Amino acid sequence: MHKALAWEGQLNIQKPEPFSIALNHYTTILRFNSGHPLFTNWQTFVYKFFSKIGIFDMVAKAERKLVSLRMSVNKCFTMFIVQFKKEAYEIGWNYNALRFQLRKALPKCIHDVLRLVLEQPTYEDSKNLVTQIDQL
């Protein structure tokens, strides 16, 4: 056993570059400011950690994109829905969740019109209605 540990200690194992960057970053902060919010607030830590090494979970990355996706007022809905569908495909959410997220991503001018009509029961119906509204 002792020989195995000695041999393992001689190995030159390189950590991935993002790992080394993150390790150096956190070591420096910990050394000079151990009370930093990064070490007392989990959400702050996760945000900073992912900003340093990136997100390896493609589903989580697509979820972040989809949740932050917003249609601008001057953008055509048919162009926006292509981007929305791309992110939605990677996530695999059910249609009710997608319908909710789609409605959340729409600009105020489309929301104003949607308030005047009954809410559509399906994701496809919602897309079709918004397409019609956008073409007006």
Side-chain angles (χ1 to χ4, degrees):
M1 175 84 167
H2 183 313
K3 286 185 179 182
L5 290 175
W7 180 75
E8 184 180 359
Q10 294 175 358
L11 291 176
N12 184 13
I13 300 173
Q14 294 288 323
K15 299 282 190 250
E17 185 61 29
F19 179 83
S20 299
I21 293 169
L23 180 63
N24 290 340
H25 176 74
Y26 295 123
T27 303
T28 303
I29 292 173
L30 189 57
R31 184 176 298 138
F32 295 107
N33 187 5
S34 61
H36 192 279
L38 190 63
F39 302 113
T40 58
N41 183 316
W42 177 249
Q43 296 235 331
T44 304
F45 174 78
V46 170
Y47 176 78
K48 275 297 234 184
F49 184 76
F50 284 135
S51 71
K52 290 292 176 194
I53 68 166
I55 300 173
F56 295 116
D57 183 355
M58 296 308 290
V59 172
K61 185 176 182 179
E63 283 180 353
R64 286 179 187 237
K65 280 184 176 180
L66 188 67
V67 168
S68 65
L69 194 62
R70 298 288 180 264
M71 179 181 157
S72 61
V73 176
N74 60 351
K75 192 171 185 178
C76 180
F77 179 73
T78 53
M79 297 300 290
F80 170 77
I81 198 66
V82 170
Q83 185 179 6
F84 185 88
K85 283 181 177 182
K86 177 183 174 272
E87 302 305 334
Y89 175 77
E90 299 216 5
I91 294 172
W93 284 355
N94 68 33
Y95 286 122
N96 285 333
L98 291 176
R99 185 169 48 106
F100 170 79
Q101 194 59 46
L102 176 63
R103 192 172 180 107
K104 189 175 153 189
L106 298 173
K108 185 182 180 313
C109 59
I110 293 179
H111 274 280
D112 291 343
V113 177
L114 287 174
R115 284 190 197 117
L116 302 174
V117 297
L118 292 174
E119 187 169 344
Q120 300 302 300
T122 67
Y123 171 69
E124 285 299 320
D125 291 341
S126 296
K127 284 190 324 186
N128 293 337
L129 178 61
V130 173
T131 302
Q132 291 174 4
I133 293 170
D134 189 50
Q135 292 174 349
L136 295 176

